[in-house]
Amino acid sequence: MSRSRLGDILLRQQRITRDQLDQVQREAKLNGDTLTLQLVKQGIFTEEQLVAFVARSFGCPIVDLSKVEVNAETSKVPFDILRKNMALPLKHEGNMLRLAVADPYDINALDEIAFVSGKQVDVVIAAESELIKKLDELGDSDSHLQDVMADLGAMDVEVVEAIDEDVDTLSLSAKTEAAPVVRLINLVLLDAIKRGASDIHLEPYEKVLRVRYRIDGVLHEIMRPRMNMRDAMISRLKILARLDISERRLPQDGRIKLRLSRAKTVDFRVSVLPTLFGEKVVLRLLDPSSLQLDMTKLGYGPQALGWLKETISRPYGMVLVTGPTGSGKTVSLYSAVAELNQPGVNISTAEDPVEFNFMGINQVNVNADIGLDFPAALRSFLRQDPDIILIGEIRDYETAAIGIKAALTGHLVLATLHTNDAPSTMTRLVNMGVESFLVGSAVNLVSAQRLARRICPDCKTEEVIPASALLEAGVSEADVPSFRPMHGAGCPTCSGTGYKGRTGIYQVMPIFDEIREAVYAGQNSNQINEIAVAKGVKTLRMEALEKVKAGEISLEECLRVTVAD
C-alpha cells in the first residue's frame, strides 16, 4: 500500500509513531481495510478522536450520519465506486456534490467521484462505521444504481473474446464506432486536456480496467470502466491512431490529432503494449499551446541561466541535458533551439519521435526499422551544411562519437543523455567508449534536471518541520532557525493535492578547465563533483532546497525528486 497523506500528517504532528504507521498500513493492506478503520481497530484512536482530528486538520465540518436520510438519486455515481472509496453523497446543488467521507486526504477517491459525477466535490467528515452502515442501506435501496458507464450506453458493448488467432475485426470495428464507446473515449481525452494531464494510461488487469492520468508528474486513478468495454475502448484508440486492431501480440505506436477549435489542436502520441490481460495503452499529450519556450520561465537560477545562455551562444561545442524520462529534457532543448532559431542559422534535429514541429527547423523522425537511426541521420546532417544539430538522445557509442566529432569540427551540438547528475555525464560518455580527451575537449556544459510540483498558491501555508529533519535533508545548521518550509493544505483549485503546476530543478555545470583536466586524468564522478561545487556549481539537492526556502516547492517534494549530496 502506498503511503497515505493522512498517515504522513499524523506522523508529522507526532500523533502516531513510524512503527505504528507501518503496522497500520501493513494490516490495512492485508485485510483490505482503509487506514482510518485500522487506526480505530488497533486502538490508536477512538472513532470520535479520529473524526475530530481529521475535521480539524482538513478544515471541514463533521456530519452525524445517524440523522441523515440516504437517497439513491442524490448522485449518478455508481454504488461500487462509492463503496470502494468509502464516500456517501449527501446533497446535490448545481455543480456541487457534497460528500461524507472518513478520509478527505484520499485525493484519488475524490478525483474519481468528481470525474464520474461531473461535479465539484465538497467534503464533510463522518465516522467510518456510520458510513459503512449508510452505504449498506444505499446498496439495499437501489442495487441497480445507474453509473456513468450505463449513461453512456456501455451495456450495448459486448465483450470480444481475447483470442489472438481469431479476431473478428469487422465485428470489433463496428463496436468501436458505436456511440457509447466514441463518447466515452472523447470524454477521457477531453477531460485529460482539461485537467492538464501529460499522459493517459488505460490498463487492463484480470478483473479491473483502470484509467489513470499523470498530472504534475504523479499518476492519479480517474475511473474504472466496465470490463466488457475493454476491447472496444482499446480498439477505438487504435483505430484513431491508425494502428492494426487485429494485431494484439506486438507493440504498436501511432498518433491521434484532436481538433478542439479552429485555432487549437492537441496531438496524442499513442503506445500500445501487449500485457498479460490485454493491451495497455498510454497516450502522451502534446499540446503546442502549453509548450513553454521562454528559458527565463523554466526555473533556472540567475547564475545557471547565465552560464547556459553564454554556452549556447558559442559557435561550436556540445551541450548535454540529462535526467530521467519525464524530467523535461526535451522542453529545455526546444527552448534553447527556439532562442537560436534565426534566419541566418541552419538547424537540424534528429528525434525519436518528433513531438512538436517548429518553423525554420529541419526535424527528422528517426526510424530504425528502415535504417534511419540516429547515426544515419547525423551523418546526413553533416552533408547538409548545419550550424546547429540537436540529437534527441545519445543511446550508443556511434551516436556519441559522431556528435562529439561534429562538436569538434565547428558545429554546436545539443543532445540528451540519461544520467543521474551532471558530473556522472562525463564518465558516462567515457564508459560508452569515447576517448576521454575527446569528451573533455568537445563538451562545454552539462545540465542535469528534475521536475518538481509547485505548491498551490491558493492553499500555501507554513509547515512545521523538526530541525533534525531539516538537517537530514541538507539544510545547513546556520540556516535552520530561519528556514520556513511551506506546503499546500489542499483546496478546490488543486483538487486537494496541495500542488499546482511544476517547476524545473537544474544543476548546470560548465566544463571549467579544472574539470577538463579531471576528465583527461580519468577521475570519477565524485571527484568531478567536488571540483564543480568548489567552482560554484550547485547540486540538484542544493537547488531544490533553494526552491523550498523560496516557498516554491515543499520539503516533501524536494526529498522526492532529489537525493542527498
Side-chain angles (χ1 to χ4, degrees), residues 300-466:
Y300 288 100
Q303 184 182 53
L305 184 60
W307 279 337
L308 182 58
K309 285 194 168 188
E310 189 275 329
T311 305
I312 65 173
S313 67
R314 298 178 190 176
Y316 57 86
M318 178 176 275
V319 174
L320 293 169
V321 178
T322 79
T325 301
S327 59
K329 299 187 298 296
T330 301
V331 173
S332 295
L333 284 181
Y334 280 166
S335 67
V337 168
E339 185 147 318
L340 298 169
N341 187 12
Q342 302 293 333
V345 178
N346 179 17
I347 304 175
S348 295
T349 77
E351 304 170 62
D352 182 21
V354 173
E355 295 190 356
F356 300 98
N357 58 78
F358 299 96
M359 176 63 186
I361 298 175
N362 308 291
Q363 296 173 272
V364 174
N365 212 3
V366 300
N367 185 350
D369 292 339
I370 60 172
L372 182 57
D373 53 13
F374 281 109
L378 294 180
R379 281 191 288 267
S380 295
F381 287 171
L382 294 175
R383 295 191 289 270
Q384 292 271 317
D385 184 31
D387 296 301
I388 299 169
I389 295 172
L390 186 151
I391 306 172
E393 184 182 347
I394 295 178
R395 299 174 180 171
D396 51 41
Y397 165 76
E398 192 175 6
T399 306
I402 296 173
I404 282 179
K405 287 175 183 176
L408 290 171
T409 54
H411 306 91
L412 178 62
V413 179
L414 311 174
T416 72
L417 193 66
H418 284 275
T419 58
N420 292 327
D421 56 19
S424 62
T425 303
M426 307 299 284
T427 54
R428 168 73 176 135
L429 287 170
V430 173
N431 292 337
M432 290 175 75
V434 183
E435 296 287 351
S436 59
F437 71 89
L438 292 175
V439 174
S441 301
V443 180
N444 286 339
L445 180 141
V446 181
S447 174
Q449 65 183 67
R450 301 289 188 274
L451 284 179
R453 293 176 291 174
R454 290 181 186 270
I455 300 172
C456 174
D458 290 350
C459 59
K460 183 187 291 189
T461 183
E462 189 171 320
E463 185 175 23
V464 179
I465 295 178

Side-chain angles (χ1 to χ4, degrees), residues 57 110 124 143 181 311 415 530 542 556:
S57 65
L110 299 182
V124 293
S143 59
V181 176
T311 305
E530 289 176 6
M542 291 176 187
E556 176 186 34

Side-chain angles (χ1 to χ4, degrees), residues 32 58 65 89 103 113 120 155 196 210 216 226 233 245 248 296 300 315 319 324 331 344 353 364 386 391 452 473 506:
F58 196 77
L65 291 183
D103 182 3
I113 292 171
Q120 291 185 8
M155 297 304 293
R210 182 169 69 172
D216 292 336
R226 294 182 183 274
M233 288 180 68
I245 65 170
R248 297 182 169 191
T296 63
Y300 288 100
V319 174
V331 173
V364 174
I391 306 172
Y506 303 92

